[in-house]
């Protein structure tokens, strides 16, 4: 009898060898539990925890998961009426809260450094008939990378992630764990800061925050993540983690693992990590997620954004002074679809408060040569193998698979149409430039109106994504206290 993995058509000799190896690791390590994790629409890990014996069986058979987990907004409310006739007519296979199967990648196995006797496997959902679930965001990125590969390219990404760490005042009996205050969503924990802020890269502040930052360091490294640096950011209790560049899919997987891991490890030590863009306190600084990207030749691995010498007659404000024709067209594609991709890179109501002038955050659809006020920052130069484009539009809670897929579909359109960007800005906060959307509903409308992105992601996915995210935006609009809504909705979840 075929295993479920064989039904799905993905079980080959390599996967069987990986499954056998992982089964032996589980048994030899004396693990008691294995978590089967899957990244939801909002970038949050969900899944099931199996005993070691059951986990070995599930390497080939998978484990059941309720399908409504793909239909929830950030408050965990199901946005489709799954028990009503026609409630899921546009989403075949999701009626009546039916079952999906989470199938793990045996090669993704890790032993969690913060949870004793516990392993972890990355999973993706499948329908029970062995067909893939098209709404799975990791699959969305895999398909986008497949289109890029057809053009002969791979994508390399580096992560630069700002976030906040707080000390929990009462980690065992705080408002978030008080049964009298339980609600949907509930109260966040009461916290204090780990450093006072407003002293960028201060060594004394990093010494003050050393304990939680050591936890971040040890957790990231134990998970095998390519952590490069930990830094003190400008805002109170704000820090930044920077990672070496990897292929895009690995980078997205790493972002999911990093957020999930440091939040859990820090919580056990009495700290709260928040990847919410603007935590609900006065005088904070917004957190961004800057995505560094370049294309490589699929055959040689060479950076195809790097040119050997500036194009004749150009100056540093011309794209072709730094980038090849391919790089310039990719840059132009990102500019052309900036408004359409905004809701995929900044997917929360809270995140749009970051787009303010003179705050090291973008406000307009512009590019600049090593300019941190522009949305797109071109870094490098002729002969520099690290030449790349940095997109500064993202927030740290974004689903990384959607964030990166948006870059690919926008960039591919730039290549297909041979677009050329305008000259670099020297006034990134000029009022006469096209502006990034200032709220989530407008950004969702821009996505719906962007033909290339709709074609790239698929009309069905865009329709589904808009419905789920509009539910969040509508609840925010109806909230009596918008700040309290964001505090409950985002501070704990992200």
């Amino acid at each position: 009898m075929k295993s479920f993995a064989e039904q799905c058509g993905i079980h080959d000799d390599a996967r069987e060898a990986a499954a056998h190896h992982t089964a032996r690791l589980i048994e030899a390590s004396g693990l008691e539990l294995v978590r089967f994790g899957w990244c939801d629409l909002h970038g949050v890990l969900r899944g099931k925890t199996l005993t070691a014996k059951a986990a070995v069986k599930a390497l080939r058979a998978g484990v059941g998961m309720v399908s409504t987990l793909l239909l929830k907004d950030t408050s965990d409310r199901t946005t489709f009426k799954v028990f009503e006739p026609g409630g899921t007519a546009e989403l075949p296979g999701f009626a009546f809260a039916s079952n999906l199967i989470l199938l793990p990648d045996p090669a993704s196995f890790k032993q969690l450094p913060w949870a004793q006797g516990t392993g972890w496997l990355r999973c993706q959902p499948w329908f029970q008939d062995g067909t893939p679930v098209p709404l799975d965001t990791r699959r969305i990125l895999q398909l986008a990378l497949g289109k890029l590969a057809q053009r002969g390219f791979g994508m390399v990404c580096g992560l630069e992630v700002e976030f906040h760490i707080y000390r929990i005042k009462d980690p065992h009996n705080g408002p978030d764990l008080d049964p009298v205050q339980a609600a949907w969503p509930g109260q966040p924990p009461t916290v204090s800061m780990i450093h006072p802020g407003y002293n960028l890269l201060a060594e004394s502040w990093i010494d003050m925050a050393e304990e939680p930052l050591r936890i971040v360091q040890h957790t990231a490294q134990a998970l095998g993540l390519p952590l490069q640096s930990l830094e003190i950011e400008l805002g109170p209790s704000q820090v930044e983690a920077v990672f070496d560049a990897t292929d895009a899919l690995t980078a997205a997987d790493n972002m999911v693992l990093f957020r999930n891991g440091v939040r859990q490890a820090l919580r056990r030590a009495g700290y709260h990590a928040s990847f919410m863009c603007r935590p609900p306190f006065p005088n904070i600084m917004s957190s961004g997620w800057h995505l560094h990207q370049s294309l490589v030749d699929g055959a040689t691995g060479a950076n195809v954004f790097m040119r050997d010498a500036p194009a004749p007659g150009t100056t540093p404000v011309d794209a072709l002074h730094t980038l090849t024709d391919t790089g310039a067209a990719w840059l132009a594609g990102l500019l052309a679809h900036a408004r359409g991709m905004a809701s995929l890179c900044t997917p929360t109501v809270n995140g749009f408060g970051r787009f303010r002038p003179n705050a090291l955050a973008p406000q307009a659809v512009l590019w600049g040569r090593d300019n941190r006020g522009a949305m797109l920052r071109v870094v490098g130069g002729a002969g520099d193998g690290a030449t790349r484009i940095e997109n500064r539009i993202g927030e740290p809670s974004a689903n990384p698979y959607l964030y990166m897929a948006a870059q690919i579909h926008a960039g591919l359109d730039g290549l297909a149409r041979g677009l050329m960007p305008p000259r670099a800005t020297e006034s990134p906060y000029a009022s006469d430039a096209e502006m990034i959307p200032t709220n989530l509903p407008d950004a969702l409308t821009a996505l719906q109106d962007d033909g290339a992105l709709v074609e790239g992601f698929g009309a069905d996915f865009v329709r589904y994504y808009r419905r789920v995210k509009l539910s969040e935006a509508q609840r925010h609009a109806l909230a009596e206290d918008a700040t309290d809504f964001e505090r409950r909705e985002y501070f704990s979840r992200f």
Side-chain angles (χ1 to χ4, degrees):
M1 181 177 175
K2 281 186 175 182
S3 68
F4 184 71
E6 288 173 313
Q7 271 185 262
C8 296
I10 63 169
H11 198 75
D12 53 17
D13 290 343
R15 191 180 188 281
E16 177 57 32
H20 182 71
H21 178 67
T22 296
R24 291 184 62 185
L25 282 176
I26 292 171
E27 293 162 358
S29 303
L31 298 184
E32 298 175 355
L33 300 170
V34 180
R35 299 180 187 176
F36 282 55
W38 159 76
C39 179
D40 75 4
L41 181 67
H42 311 290
V44 175
L45 270 179
R46 301 177 185 256
K48 291 194 173 184
T49 301
L50 278 63
T51 62
K53 183 177 179 180
V56 169
K57 180 181 177 181
L59 289 172
R60 299 168 182 82
V63 59
M65 177 185 83
V66 61
S67 61
T68 53
L69 286 179
L70 280 85
L71 310 181
K72 293 185 178 296
D73 61 19
T74 50
S75 73
D76 224 48
R77 289 174 169 84
T78 302
T79 55
F80 290 77
K81 299 183 184 300
V82 298
F83 296 112
E84 295 184 10
T88 57
E90 59 192 84
L91 295 176
F94 285 86
F96 311 122
S98 58
N99 231 27
L100 301 174
I101 305 296
L102 275 184
L103 193 58
D105 174 3
S108 69
F109 176 78
K110 295 182 183 295
Q111 190 164 346
L112 297 182
W114 65 87
Q116 184 176 356
T118 304
W120 183 88
L121 286 160
R122 182 182 59 248
C123 303
Q124 290 184 249
W126 295 74
F127 289 118
Q128 294 178 72
D129 64 1
T131 56
V133 176
L135 304 182
D136 172 38
T137 57
R138 190 172 192 268
R139 192 175 307 282
I140 293 286
L141 178 56
Q142 289 170 317
L143 292 172
L145 287 167
K147 292 180 179 179
L148 188 61
Q150 291 174 4
R151 291 290 303 263
F153 300 126
M155 187 181 191
V156 170
C157 292
L159 312 181
E160 190 177 321
V161 188
E162 297 167 347
F163 61 108
H164 291 79
I165 301 175
Y166 298 94
R167 183 175 287 104
I168 301 174
K169 290 184 176 179
D170 190 348
H172 303 296
N173 300 291
D176 54 322
L177 298 176
D178 182 353
V180 177
Q181 299 187 62
W184 192 358
Q187 293 281 356
T190 302
V191 298
S192 59
M193 299 188 303
I194 63 167
H195 72 77
Y198 305 118
N199 204 353
L200 183 66
L201 298 182
E203 187 172 314
S204 57
W205 274 196
I206 202 163
D207 191 69
M208 183 184 297
E210 182 182 16
E211 182 182 57
L213 289 179
R214 288 282 188 181
I215 295 171
V216 173
Q217 172 210 334
H218 293 156
T219 301
Q221 291 178 333
L223 289 171
L225 307 182
L227 180 67
Q228 183 184 94
S229 69
L230 290 169
E231 302 170 7
I232 292 296
E233 268 296 330
L234 182 61
S237 229
Q238 188 181 39
V239 300
E240 180 181 66
V242 179
F243 296 85
D244 288 334
T246 66
D247 69 274
L249 187 60
T250 298
D253 290 338
N254 287 347
M255 183 63 170
V256 173
L257 266 178
F258 176 70
R259 289 189 306 213
N260 183 65
V262 300
R263 283 174 56 83
Q264 293 182 35
L266 284 169
R267 177 73 200 213
R268 285 174 177 248
Y271 295 95
H272 178 74
S274 178
F275 292 85
M276 178 182 182
C277 178
R278 294 181 58 78
F281 307 111
N283 304 316
I284 57 91
M285 295 292 290
S286 300
S287 289
W289 171 11
H290 306 149
L291 183 62
H292 295 254
Q293 58 193 281
S294 60
L295 297 187
V296 294
D297 184 284
T300 67
N303 183 350
V304 298
F305 281 4
M306 184 198 79
R307 60 182 313 125
D308 295 327
T314 62
T315 70
V317 297
D318 299 307
L320 293 179
H321 188 82
T322 305
L323 299 170
T324 60
D325 290 353
T326 297
W330 190 271
L331 175 68
L334 296 179
L335 290 170
H337 300 288
R339 288 180 55 82
M341 73 167 68
S343 69
L344 299 159
C345 311
T346 296
T348 69
V349 173
N350 174 271
F352 286 85
R354 176 172 160 261
F355 300 138
R356 302 178 179 189
N358 303 305
L360 291 176
Q363 186 180 26
V365 181
L366 297 167
W367 78 275
R369 177 76 176 83
D370 199 10
N371 186 328
R372 286 181 168 86
M375 188 191 88
L376 300 173
R377 173 179 171 235
V378 173
V379 185
D384 184 348
T387 297
R388 63 198 183 274
I389 299 168
E390 176 191 4
N391 196 337
R392 300 172 64 84
I393 197 175
E395 66 172 322
S397 64
N399 180 310
Y401 303 112
L402 299 182
Y403 190 175
M404 294 182 193
Q407 313 304 293
I408 294 171
H409 293 308
L412 281 175
D413 185 61
L415 291 176
R417 293 198 283 152
L419 298 181
M420 186 57 60
R423 303 183 77 179
T425 183
E426 295 184 348
S427 302
Y429 299 111
S431 59
D432 58 345
E434 182 182 31
M435 307 300 285
I436 296 169
T438 56
N439 58 70
L440 182 56
D442 285 353
L444 290 167
T445 297
L447 172 61
Q448 177 183 250
D449 294 342
D450 190 312
L453 292 183
V454 171
E455 181 180 356
F457 282 94
D460 290 343
F461 179 83
V462 170
R463 188 162 48 246
Y464 149 78
Y465 183 76
R466 288 190 70 253
R467 177 160 175 173
V468 174
K469 299 306 294 185
L470 279 173
S471 170
E472 177 182 331
Q474 289 162 358
R475 283 186 297 97
H476 181 268
L478 294 172
E480 292 184 10
D481 186 334
T483 300
D484 183 64
F485 171 95
E486 294 181 31
R487 180 170 60 91
R488 290 170 178 261
E489 191 102 346
Y490 299 134
F491 190 56
S492 292
R493 179 173 296 268
F494 298 125

